[in-house]
Amino acid sequence: METTAGTSYGSIVTNAPLQPGDRNVFSDGSTRVDFVLVWEEPRVSQEDKTGAGPAHRKWREEFLSRLKRSGLLLEWKEVVQVKKKICFVLLSAPWSVLCYYAEEISLRVPLQVVNAPLVNWSQKVLCLLQTFFKTTQRHQVVSPHQPSSQGDFQLSAAPVAPQDLGLRQILYSYWAQWSCWRRYQPLDHIREYFGEKIALYFAWLGFYTGWLFPASVMGTVIFLVGVWLMATDVPAKEVCDSGNGFIMCPLCNICSYWNYSSICVTYKVGLLFDNGGTVFFSVFMSLWAVTFLEYWKRTCSALSHRWDCSDFQDIEERPRPEFAAMAPMTVRNPVTGAEEPYFPEKQRFSRTVTGCMVIIIMVTVVLMFLISIILYRTILSIVIYKSANSFFSFAAGRIASFTGSVLNLLVILMLSKVYTALAHLLTRWEMHRTQTKYEDMFILKVFIFQFVNFYSSPVYIAFFKGRFIGYPGNYNTLLGVRNEDCGAGGCLIELAQELLVIMVGKQLINNVQEKLKPQKEEKKLKEAQEEEEKEEASPWEQDYQLLVCEGLFDEYLEMVLQFGFITIFVAACPLAPLFALINNWVEIRLDAQKFVTEYRRPVVERAQDIGIWFPILQFITHMAVLSNAFLIAFTSSFLPRLYYRYTQDRTLSGFINFTLATSPRSYSQQHNTTCRYRGFRDENGEYLPEYFHLLAIQLSFVIIFEHVVFLIGRLIDLMVPDVPEEVEMKMKREHYMAKEALAENQVQPTGTSGRLPSTKPNLRSLSGPPGTS
């Protein structure tokens, strides 16, 4: 179809300047492609050239004719391959359409020219590429299926000036390559190319990664303190030098007696994760998490104001297309007065309750798998112990614990896939009005399940394992199997192992999948190109071969679960922030490469923050305070050591003997020997007064710890305003300048009614409503 040139409005140009060699245009060589509609058809005989049924063909023709009547420019392209035909419909929005629909979707534009100097190289380059309507705004106006990718990301061999590069090339050169790992992310470019929603994700990821640096440094220092304690700790020396002094009771029903000195190395390794420094580090990480979230709120408010999306959710967001198509009735919107699709709240509530029941059932399934893994560890340790190999018999508990952690990771990943697909069906069935509400409810469902799925095993090891085993002669059982006891080195070292296997293992698997999947697709693409032996493909053909972007859910979920591991259980693994920092340095580049080089350009979505993920992070932060308090009080040896130091011996001499109880007389008489076990019981199996003294200290520590941390966190919240002062001043200044600009541009009334004209800026007055081409 013919394209007509638009009108120039002073400094406002109708079409953005094309980059040299830009092939992302219509056949006329000048009309830019904003969006591309695409579908596939099988190759058919001459009698049926369409490859589609009459009803489908009629619907498609009607859809395209409506696009044409709305004023969009269309151009049809076909690519014929061996087994199929790919149809492309190129869409371009002329100036009149942009102006008309920009007002329909409440698109904001500047009222005055700002002559403030640009001090950032990124802003200078981006300013050369921008026109009145940015590419993301053009996508918002057109908004069908597949945006144009703005050309190839590869650079030419010859040197090219920055102003001659396309946005995609700039992002690849200055962001997506591994050599850019030390640079700040070009957030304005990311927002210009992908929109605010994706830009906010990368802004949050970069902010989070930067804040991990001080946490990883502090964790490494605490770990080195543990290394020093391995050589100087008095109780560790007592264990290693005890010889046959402590004969320990069997760890299982068929196990034999063993010497406490045999765990010398394991006990010393446990000091890497269980020492006095972990208390300080737990307080540090709890306050770190609170401060991190407070300063992210400031950064987010500054970005949302800078990108003009501060009140997007409250005012601008419209009903999502799926909701509009499936809603059974319409009602008048009390804010806009327009008729909008509506779904009864009572029906939605009943469906939401049904979804909650499904979540409860899935959580029950997770707990059943947890019990199965507990039984697996116990049974496997017995089987290994009964084997003839003495080496494996000695390490039976450690082997069973490690293999149980790996099995638990596989179960977690399997259940995650099943439940995510189920959560999609449930959330779609609940009929939420806006895309933000739909995504929030879906995220909430998946997070509740994943929280239990990922953290149930670490919680069991940290707070329940070894707590209900009983004592010699009176052991408790689960389904006829003796309750699982902590290993020879204690539960904290097992918790550290579990965290490292799940956190590091999951991240490695995800990164490998992210790297291998696009490589397979790239290989298929090369084979297809060799098979066809055709000329150089157009930009939209190349884009169609890329992967479909499935959104940010998986990226956010991976980082939020990681945040939980480094805060909720940080007392057990001081190196967790360091592993997270290394992973995130890699993750930023992998995600950047995916979005720039391997994914089709996603449809632009606006956002004013990271959505429901922020309340989830706040919930994790509160859980971390309570978890670390209980870890230090009941799982770590910090308080028992402190109690012994101030009640019996300041040098901790004799601490090992203090923590070991002697088997009851009935047990010793039955087995003709006396053995020791961890606990504070007398010769009859009753608790000693020291047990109750220590229990009171532990409960008091939990209360004092969480009150102090929450109090300091609240003070940080009060001292750090959510909106920076300079941003608040800018907002007030812009509000004032907007009123001044509207007042200066008011048209004097010509009628006799005495009414003042409306001060609402109207883009339609520039060109009138769009007509057919």
Side-chain angles (χ1 to χ4, degrees):
M1 60 184 297
E2 296 181 358
T3 60
T4 56
T7 307
S8 178
Y9 297 94
S11 63
I12 302 174
V13 294
T14 59
N15 290 311
L18 298 173
Q19 302 300 319
D22 191 351
R23 299 169 53 241
N24 200 38
V25 293
F26 280 23
S27 299
D28 60 8
S30 60
T31 304
R32 70 162 50 242
V33 177
D34 291 321
F35 263 81
V36 181
L37 294 173
V38 58
W39 67 89
E40 293 183 2
E41 295 180 358
R43 294 199 60 178
V44 293
S45 61
Q46 295 296 324
E47 289 76 16
D48 184 8
K49 298 182 180 181
T50 63
H56 194 171
R57 184 168 63 252
K58 183 179 180 180
W59 176 87
R60 181 186 299 154
E61 292 173 353
E62 174 64 20
F63 176 75
L64 294 177
S65 66
R66 289 187 178 185
L67 291 180
K68 186 175 181 181
R69 289 198 300 270
S70 69
L72 294 176
L73 306 180
L74 281 72
E75 187 170 271
W76 189 294
K77 300 285 185 179
E78 289 186 356
V79 176
V80 180
Q81 297 181 353
V82 175
K83 298 181 180 180
K84 62 184 177 181
K85 178 175 65 175
I86 306 176
C87 303
F88 298 91
V89 175
L90 313 183
L91 304 180
S92 180
W95 173 259
S96 58
V97 174
L98 290 173
C99 291
Y100 183 84
Y101 286 103
E103 184 170 344
E104 288 293 320
I105 64 174
S106 303
L107 191 67
R108 297 188 174 190
V109 294
L111 293 173
Q112 288 185 347
V113 176
V114 180
N115 296 317
L118 298 177
V119 296
N120 187 298
W121 72 267
S122 178
Q123 290 178 296
K124 292 179 180 179
V125 174
L126 186 58
C127 187
L128 297 173
L129 302 174
Q130 291 179 355
T131 55
F132 189 80
F133 287 106
K134 303 178 180 64
T135 57
T136 50
Q137 292 175 328
R138 300 173 73 96
H139 296 166
Q140 288 176 258
V141 171
V142 185
S143 191
H145 294 66
Q146 179 187 341
S148 167
S149 69
Q150 297 291 298
D152 192 14
F153 65 89
Q154 296 284 3
L155 298 176
S156 61
V160 181
Q163 59 267 27
D164 294 332
L165 295 176
L167 271 174
R168 195 179 181 196
Q169 291 175 319
I170 291 175
L171 290 176
Y172 178 74
S173 301
Y174 297 99
W175 179 47
Q177 298 193 73
W178 290 104
S179 59
C180 303
W181 67 272
R182 294 174 297 172
R183 296 176 178 173
Y184 287 99
Q185 298 185 98
L187 296 179
D188 287 330
H189 286 73
I190 299 172
R191 178 245 182 170
E192 170 69 8
Y193 189 75
F194 293 111
E196 290 80 5
K197 191 169 188 178
I198 292 178
L200 279 172
Y201 163 72
F202 283 105
W204 176 82
L205 180 57
F207 187 83
Y208 169 48
T209 303
W211 272 70
L212 278 174
F213 183 76
S216 62
V217 171
M218 187 61 65
T220 304
V221 170
I222 300 301
F223 182 80
L224 294 177
V225 170
V227 175
W228 176 74
L229 287 175
M230 289 176 65
T232 61
D233 187 63
V234 173
K237 290 182 178 179
E238 287 187 353
V239 172
C240 296
D241 298 339
S242 61
N244 298 326
F246 301 114
I247 305 299
M248 304 298 293
C249 298
L251 295 177
C252 64
N253 292 334
I254 66 169
C255 299
S256 60
Y257 299 94
W258 54 286
N259 289 328
Y260 205 49
S261 59
S262 64
I263 67 164
C264 172
V265 176
T266 306
Y267 190 91
K268 286 186 175 182
V269 172
L271 293 175
L272 297 175
F273 309 100
D274 183 8
N275 56 73
T278 57
V279 181
F280 168 78
F281 192 51
S282 298
V283 176
F284 173 84
M285 287 302 297
S286 299
L287 297 179
W288 172 89
V290 173
T291 311
F292 160 70
L293 294 181
E294 287 301 316
Y295 275 90
W296 165 248
K297 283 195 291 187
R298 289 169 58 86
T299 302
C300 184
S301 64
L303 288 174
S304 62
H305 170 261
R306 178 177 175 179
W307 294 338
D308 199 20
C309 53
S310 299
D311 54 358
F312 164 70
Q313 281 182 216
D314 298 331
I315 299 177
E316 300 178 28
E317 193 168 15
R318 303 163 72 91
R320 61 190 184 95
E322 293 85 352
F323 176 82
M326 300 175 64
M329 62 184 71
T330 61
V331 296
R332 188 173 298 276
N333 189 309
V335 177
T336 64
E339 285 285 331
E340 288 188 354
Y342 176 76
F343 190 80
E345 291 295 331
K346 289 185 178 180
Q347 295 186 30
R348 181 181 292 116
F349 177 77
S350 62
R351 294 186 178 189
T352 303
V353 171
T354 304
C356 293
M357 297 302 296
V358 174
I359 294 176
I360 294 173
I361 293 173
M362 291 300 297
V363 167
T364 305
V365 172
V366 172
L367 298 179
M368 291 173 61
F369 274 102
L370 175 62
I371 295 174
S372 301
I373 292 173
I374 293 172
L375 295 175
Y376 160 83
R377 283 197 295 252
T378 304
I379 296 172
L380 181 63
S381 62
I382 295 175
V383 171
I384 296 177
Y385 187 84
K386 292 174 65 176
S387 64
N389 193 315
S390 59
F391 172 77
F392 288 107
S393 298
F394 176 76
R398 188 66 55 215
I399 295 173
S401 177
F402 180 77
T403 56
S405 299
V406 174
L407 179 61
N408 184 49
L409 174 61
L410 297 178
V411 170
I412 285 172
L413 297 177
M414 178 190 69
L415 291 178
S416 299
K417 295 290 184 182
V418 174
Y419 182 76
T420 301
L422 183 60
H424 268 296
L425 295 175
L426 290 173
T427 311
R428 193 178 300 117
W429 184 56
E430 290 171 359
M431 291 291 291
H432 297 286
R433 176 181 176 272
T434 62
Q435 185 66 22
T436 298
K437 186 65 174 177
Y438 173 87
E439 292 180 357
D440 286 352
M441 294 305 297
F442 170 72
I443 291 169
L444 185 61
K445 286 185 181 65
V446 177
F447 174 76
I448 292 173
F449 172 78
Q450 297 287 42
F451 185 85
V452 178
N453 195 20
F454 275 89
Y455 299 146
S456 58
S457 182
V459 165
Y460 161 74
I461 295 174
F463 305 119
F464 297 98
K465 186 176 181 180
R467 304 291 175 191
F468 311 102
I469 59 173
Y471 56 90
N474 188 26
Y475 288 113
N476 300 321
T477 61
L478 173 66
L479 301 179
V481 179
R482 176 176 159 182
N483 284 354
E484 195 177 21
D485 194 2
C486 294
C491 279
L492 211 61
I493 188 173
E494 293 188 31
L495 177 59
Q497 171 192 286
E498 186 81 3
L499 293 178
L500 291 176
V501 169
I502 295 177
M503 186 180 82
V504 178
K506 178 181 182 298
Q507 292 175 345
L508 285 176
I509 291 174
N510 287 344
N511 289 338
V512 169
Q513 287 178 339
E514 291 176 0
K515 196 65 181 175
L516 293 182
K517 184 178 179 181
Q519 290 179 352
K520 293 181 180 179
E521 296 294 332
E522 185 179 354
K523 183 179 180 181
K524 291 180 181 179
L525 174 60
K526 289 182 179 179
E527 292 176 354
Q529 290 175 343
E530 293 175 358
E531 179 184 354
E532 296 296 334
E533 296 182 353
K534 58 183 179 181
E535 297 180 358
E536 184 180 2
S538 60
W540 44 88
E541 294 176 57
Q542 296 175 354
D543 295 346
Y544 184 65
Q545 302 297 334
L546 299 176
L547 300 174
V548 177
C549 180
E550 298 178 350
L552 296 168
F553 170 76
D554 290 333
E555 279 72 19
Y556 268 121
L557 181 63
E558 180 183 357
M559 291 297 104
V560 169
L561 290 174
Q562 179 200 89
F563 181 81
F565 281 122
I566 69 169
T567 54
I568 296 178
F569 304 103
V570 73
C573 189
L575 290 181
L578 177 62
F579 289 120
L581 176 64
I582 296 172
N583 174 81
N584 289 7
W585 269 338
V586 176
E587 185 72 23
I588 289 178
R589 300 306 149 196
L590 284 178
D591 287 347
Q593 289 178 1
K594 284 192 306 183
F595 279 90
V596 174
T597 67
E598 297 159 0
Y599 283 171
R600 299 178 194 172
R601 188 178 184 182
V603 177
V604 172
E605 294 183 69
R606 301 199 73 199
Q608 68 185 52
D609 50 36
I610 62 174
I612 199 174
W613 292 112
F614 186 81
I616 289 175
L617 291 171
Q618 289 180 313
F619 168 76
I620 290 176
T621 300
H622 286 81
M623 290 295 298
V625 175
L626 298 176
S627 173
N628 285 306
F630 280 95
L631 267 176
I632 296 170
F634 292 96
T635 307
S636 170
S637 64
F638 171 75
L639 289 183
R641 286 173 175 245
L642 199 64
Y643 174 76
Y644 184 82
R645 185 186 297 274
Y646 285 99
T647 59
Q648 299 193 32
D649 193 307
R650 297 186 63 86
T651 65
L652 292 179
S653 179
F655 175 74
I656 297 300
N657 184 63
F658 170 74
T659 60
L660 298 178
T662 304
S663 58
R665 280 180 292 187
S666 58
Y667 179 88
S668 301
Q669 292 173 357
Q670 181 180 358
H671 294 81
N672 297 322
T673 185
T674 300
C675 60
R676 309 293 296 273
Y677 64 98
R678 285 190 294 268
F680 299 94
R681 295 177 184 267
D682 59 18
E683 58 185 10
N684 297 318
E686 301 295 332
Y687 286 116
L688 294 170
E690 287 82 358
Y691 170 81
F692 297 101
H693 296 164
L694 190 57
L695 180 62
I697 294 173
Q698 290 170 327
L699 295 176
S700 300
F701 176 84
V702 170
I703 296 173
I704 295 173
F705 183 93
E706 59 95 7
H707 272 72
V708 169
V709 174
F710 281 137
L711 176 61
I712 298 176
R714 181 58 179 165
L715 292 177
I716 294 174
D717 188 11
L718 295 175
M719 293 170 60
V720 181
D722 293 348
V723 181
E725 184 179 357
E726 59 271 18
V727 173
E728 192 172 356
M729 292 300 298
K730 285 181 182 179
M731 295 172 68
K732 293 179 180 179
R733 175 66 176 168
E734 289 173 0
H735 182 67
Y736 169 78
M737 293 179 66
K739 290 171 62 178
E740 290 292 314
L742 289 173
E744 291 175 3
N745 288 277
Q746 281 183 355
V747 180
Q748 296 298 325
T750 57
T752 59
S753 63
R755 291 182 299 174
L756 292 176
S758 171
T759 59
K760 179 181 178 182
N762 195 331
L763 282 171
R764 291 188 204 171
S765 60
L766 296 176
S767 60
T772 56
S773 300

